[in-house]
Amino acid sequence: MRRALFYLLIILLALYCAGPLLWQFITSLKPDTELTKLPPILPTSSTMDNYISIFKGNPFLRIILNSAIVAASTTTLSLILGSLCAFGLAKLRIGYKGLILGFVLSVSMFPPIATVSPLYLIIRALGLRDTLFALIITYTTFSLPLAIWVLTNFFREIPDEIYLAARVDGCTPFQVFYKIMLPLAAPGIFATAILVFIFSWNEFLFALTFTSTVASRTIPVGIALFPGLHEVPWGDIAAASVVVTIPLIILVFAFQKRIIEGLTAGSIRG
Amino acid sequence: MRDEERGRWFVMPSLVLLSIVTIYPLIYVLYLSLQRRLLIFDVSRFIGIDNYLFLLKDDRFFNAFKNTLYFTIMSVTLELLLGLAIALLINRSFRMKGLIRAIVLIPWAIPTVVSAKMWEWIYNTDFGILNYLLGVKINWLGSPFWAINAAVFMDVWKTTPFVVILLTAGLQVIPKDLYQAARVDGAGRWDIFTRIVLPLLKPVILVVLIFRTLDAFRVFDAIYVLTGGGPANTTETLSIYAYKVLFQTLQFGYGSTLAVVVFLCTGGISIFYIRLLSRGVKL
């Protein structure tokens, strides 16, 4: 009886978490005539029309590509800069370590709205408006605190003896870093990569402000500004939502352990 | 000793980038907030603290402030309670635990904009599944009372997974024999929860509170896409108001003043929590 109640709660929990996305998926399969009808909940005849329409005559593919470029570049850059910095903080002797970590943490607490107006003026002055580069640099900076914190925790767990032994054997600190420490910290790097990728795939405020045309629009902005001449194209929006969410759902299901590790390393152990 | 010199080269690139893209703009925004700056006419004039004085007479600012506080308090409280309940529920061992943990993560992974659009459709007055399931016809996003609560509910749905993950990690650190010892001593479930689980979870709860309060206080995209701040500015938060002043009316001076206020508030919140945390850890 107790067991049954427990599983009932678990099922309710799963429905609560996945239900809205499931409903969006169902909506995406409905033909336009059935969108405005309830019941039936399930479409009587499912259709791929909405999926076809977002890719046809619509810059949706371009937008997905933009997001992929931005997220991949941001992830790469953050990992390179973040792992160097984290290695330095975890294994090398540097003055003001506590101060540096405190500074990095305080940056992660900045509200984006506080820096968006000056960044906009700077980016406009540099002629970088409407470029993916502007987004990549901004996102990299805003992901760095997370990357540094998560990776510093992972590097700290590698015994100092390994570092010292390699130094005695004649490796330079940089060689120790990329030949020995990087492979050992691979799980942490992987966790960081997923977190940064998801952040840059989802970011909205800077993307909305720095881009003005389809050339550099990313997915969140594309979906928020979905073109609708007379009425809101709910079917198209639903289809687009499903398409852009699928990569994330795959990431979450394949790597949930890593994601959880990364999230907790970034906040609790710090 | 030479390592110390080399250490700098590892840390420098990140610190330089952080300074250029965050510290410099922060100083710049302070300077902008002391200007009368209209982007359309290329007007820029130093006016001292006039923007801040204007802010004190700006009803819309106080309205946004009130909405932000309501949203933050409501959503953080609900997320913490719900997150704790879910974390306790899935902390046991059961079949398909991995699958359930992955499902719980779904709302967290969905882009905020997508989840706002999803909920906008769920809340739809005529064709929304919510009204259909409840058998009512409420204009969720169109009525001042419901709109802000609808936004709170969406945020709770979206970010509770984050709370669950951190609290679950905290629960796993509690030694199992502590529970057993307490049970042997005749402690009931409630006693174990209030006397063992909660006190040991306190540092984690504080960390969760810092992250969630800061995020909720600076909320932008979720509400901006869901309601745009309407109806009648009842869901307009500080970040949304600042954004509108900056990029819709192009008043970069006053908009920056609002942005500075958001920054000062989040700074205050961080300091408050970090003090609590450092005291809590020592105990």
Side-chain angles (χ1 to χ4, degrees), chain A residues 42-63:
Chain A
L42 293 173
T44 47
S45 62
S46 70
T47 159
M48 294 302 280
D49 284 358
N50 295 320
Y51 288 90
I52 296 167
S53 105
I54 55 170
F55 282 105
K56 212 173 60 185
N58 219 313
F60 196 57
L61 211 56
R62 171 83 223 203
I63 289 174

Side-chain angles (χ1 to χ4, degrees), chain A residues 16 27 93 110 163 167 209, chain B residues 1 3 121 157 218 247:
Chain A
Y16 166 75
T27 303
R93 259 181 294 168
F110 274 22
Y163 171 73
R167 286 288 284 139
T209 319
Chain B
M1 284 309 116
D3 278 13
W121 179 231
W157 177 81
R218 60 197 180 187
F247 293 101

